[in-house]
Amino acid sequence: MKYDILQGLGVVLLVLGAQGAIRQLVNHDDAGLLSWLPGGFAAGITVHILAAVVGVAIASRARTAATAARRG
């Protein structure tokens, strides 16, 4: 059960990060959730990409751990 929650959290981070990065690449002025972040475009795109990468890592590890737990 805990691996399912972690996998879901990872997917949410992946989706938010990827969607935010794409939106910011298309429209540099729209920072979205990160409008409060100082540093402008470079900081915003970095945080979005970092969120997507962390989301992939969390989801991948959770899936691997869940598969290992099911096997024994």
Side-chain angles (χ1 to χ4, degrees), residues 10 13-18 45-61:
L13 277 173
L14 170 64
V15 168
L16 286 175
I45 197 77
T46 301
V47 171
H48 281 300
I49 291 173
L50 185 63
V53 170
V54 169
V56 167
I58 290 173
S60 175
R61 284 190 172 250

Side-chain angles (χ1 to χ4, degrees), residues 11-61:
V11 170
V12 167
L13 277 173
L14 170 64
V15 168
L16 286 175
Q19 182 266 341
I22 291 168
R23 182 190 61 246
Q24 203 164 14
L25 284 172
V26 171
N27 184 3
H28 294 295
D29 296 330
D30 185 13
L33 291 173
L34 300 177
S35 59
W36 57 270
L37 187 68
F41 174 75
I45 197 77
T46 301
V47 171
H48 281 300
I49 291 173
L50 185 63
V53 170
V54 169
V56 167
I58 290 173
S60 175
R61 284 190 172 250

